[in-house]
């Protein structure tokens, strides 16, 4: 039985994991006002979307929420650290296939408007295996930011850059599903007080997903593959534990495994098998072999 992993308790990825495969991811470059930006949109087939943009001067990703297309008008909201709306971004006559995107950034408090002018660098859609480019990621570290090199609906590499200088610090080859600007997630996955990163690998039947985890080595100043495997992994920073939940057979069989991190390896602490009992009308605990 293969066990898979996902990050939680840290920065969460979009809950629309499966729908992401059927959306359009596009990367643009241009300006907001007079400031150069990189802008990435992820628009799903139902018109719901997410976006990330980055000012070239700061290299700090800004996530946009509440994305939607209504009557050819694309809109997003930008929130501050307190989750209050800081600005709205609207694009009239939106066309996902157009080479340019024009809109307005509006300050929620002052009402000040800045023109947005963007040119599309590339786009990917489900099945567009020949299209390649690099998506800047919505998660970043205090001194580093990430780009994911993609080819169609596959991610081929994670690139780590130094903020402000844009110096390429590391390239890590991967072969995973690509998720536009939402592929990389950061967190202290081995609880050593140093930030690491993961990249989404794949989604499977039901809620099961997997990610690849890269732990930071302060001595080498590089990230290294952890080699971890597990299903839908969650990280509890208070308890210093990692838990994996593998749901099978339409939720009628659920395996939970709890780990501790020892010398950057996952060591099993406990395992639980729960299976649906028709008479009791719910999940009941079974011997582990019943879930294997």
């Amino acid at each position: 039985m293969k066990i898979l992993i996902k990050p939680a308790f840290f920065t969460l990825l979009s809950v629309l994991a499966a729908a992401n495969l059927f959306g359009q991811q596009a990367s643009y470059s241009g300006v907001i006002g007079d400031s150069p930006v990189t802008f990435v949109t992820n628009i799903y087939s139902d018109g719901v979307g997410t976006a990330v943009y980055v000012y070239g001067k700061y290299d700090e990703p800004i996530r946009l929420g509440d994305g939607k297309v209504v009557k050819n008008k694309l809109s997003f909201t930008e929130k501050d650290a307190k989750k209050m709306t800081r600005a709205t971004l609207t694009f009239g006559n939106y066309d996902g296939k157009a080479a340019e995107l024009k809109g307005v950034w509006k300050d929620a408090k002052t009402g000040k408007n800045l023109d947005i002018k963007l040119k599309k660098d590339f786009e990917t859609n489900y099945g567009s295996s020949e299209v390649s480019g690099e998506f800047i990621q919505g998660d970043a570290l205090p001194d580093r930011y990430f780009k994911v090199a993609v080819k169609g609906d596959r991610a081929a590499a994670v690139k780590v850059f130094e903020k402000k200088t844009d110096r390429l610090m590391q390239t890590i080859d991967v072969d995973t599903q690509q998720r536009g600007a939402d592929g990389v997630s950061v967190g202290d996955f081995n609880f050593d007080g140093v930030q690491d990163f993961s990249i989404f690998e794949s989604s499977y039947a039901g809620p099961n997903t997997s990610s690849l985890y890269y732990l930071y080595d302060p001595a080498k100043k590089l990230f290294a593959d952890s080699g971890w495997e597990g299903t839908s992994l969650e990280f509890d920073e208070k308890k210093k534990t990692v838990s994996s939940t593998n749901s099978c057979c339409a939720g009628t069989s659920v395996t939970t495994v709890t780990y501790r991190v020892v010398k950057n390896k996952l060591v099993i602490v406990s395992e639980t098998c729960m299976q649906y009992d028709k008479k009791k009308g719910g999940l009941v605990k079974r011997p582990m072999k019943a879930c294997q």
Side-chain angles (χ1 to χ4, degrees):
M1 177 182 68
K2 184 178 180 181
I3 302 178
L4 314 171
I5 300 179
K6 76 173 179 182
F9 295 103
F10 302 110
T11 304
L12 295 178
L13 301 178
S14 169
V15 295
L16 300 174
N20 189 34
L21 295 178
F22 304 100
Q24 178 208 57
Q25 297 87 34
S27 182
Y28 301 83
S29 57
V31 294
I32 295 181
D34 296 324
S35 300
V37 296
T38 298
F39 202 101
V40 178
T41 60
N42 193 355
I43 308 299
Y44 305 101
S45 56
D46 61 357
V48 174
T50 61
V52 170
Y53 77 94
V54 180
Y55 288 102
K57 183 178 179 180
Y58 302 107
D59 294 326
E60 188 65 46
I62 299 171
R63 288 188 177 275
L64 303 177
D66 304 323
K68 57 186 177 181
V69 179
V70 178
K71 295 182 179 180
N72 297 324
K73 177 182 175 181
L74 173 62
S75 61
F76 297 101
T77 59
E78 177 182 332
K79 297 184 183 297
D80 60 21
K82 296 181 179 180
K83 307 300 182 183
M84 300 296 292
T85 298
R86 177 172 180 264
T88 57
L89 294 85
T90 56
F91 302 88
N93 299 316
Y94 170 73
D95 180 355
K97 297 297 182 181
E100 296 184 350
L101 198 58
K102 294 183 179 181
V104 175
W105 182 98
K106 183 177 181 179
D107 189 297
K109 290 184 177 180
T110 66
K112 178 181 178 180
N113 290 340
L114 296 174
D115 289 335
I116 306 173
K117 298 178 182 179
L118 306 171
K119 288 187 177 181
K120 184 182 292 180
D121 297 317
F122 71 97
E123 69 176 73
T124 65
N125 295 274
Y126 180 66
S128 57
S129 60
E130 299 304 315
V131 177
S132 61
E134 295 181 359
F135 283 119
I136 198 159
Q137 296 298 290
D139 271 16
L141 296 172
D143 59 346
R144 293 171 174 82
Y145 68 94
F146 302 90
K147 289 183 179 181
V148 172
V150 304
K151 187 172 183 180
D153 51 18
R154 304 298 294 176
V158 179
K159 295 186 175 183
V160 186
F161 293 86
E162 184 177 51
K163 286 183 177 178
K164 303 295 179 69
T165 68
D166 296 320
R167 178 172 66 92
L168 177 62
M169 304 180 73
Q170 189 174 1
T171 299
I172 300 172
D173 293 333
V174 298
D175 182 15
T176 65
Q177 291 179 0
Q178 73 93 353
R179 292 164 59 86
D182 291 327
V184 166
S185 180
V186 301
D188 181 8
F189 300 123
N190 59 349
F191 312 119
D192 65 350
V194 179
Q195 293 288 292
D196 312 300
F197 84 88
S198 68
I199 181 168
F200 184 86
E201 182 181 26
S202 188
S203 56
Y204 302 88
N208 297 332
T209 64
S210 64
S211 293
L212 304 178
Y213 288 78
Y214 295 87
L215 307 179
Y216 187 69
D217 184 337
K220 296 181 179 179
K221 297 183 178 181
L222 294 172
F223 295 94
D225 186 357
S226 68
W228 294 353
E229 290 187 352
T231 311
S232 302
L233 264 177
E234 297 182 352
F235 297 79
D236 190 326
E237 192 170 13
K238 291 183 178 180
K239 295 181 180 180
K240 308 298 182 187
T241 58
V242 183
S243 61
S244 164
T245 303
N246 187 9
S247 179
C248 177
C249 313
T252 60
S253 178
V254 179
T255 304
T256 302
V257 183
T258 300
Y259 304 89
R260 288 202 179 275
V261 181
V262 180
K263 295 182 179 180
N264 288 338
K265 303 295 183 183
L266 294 182
V267 177
I268 295 176
V269 175
S270 64
E271 298 177 281
T272 303
C273 168
M274 304 291 289
Q275 288 195 324
Y276 182 77
D277 187 297
K278 187 176 181 180
K279 291 182 179 181
K280 295 185 177 181
L283 294 172
V284 298
K285 191 174 182 179
R286 302 290 192 196
M288 276 302 300
K289 62 181 181 180
C291 286
Q292 297 175 347

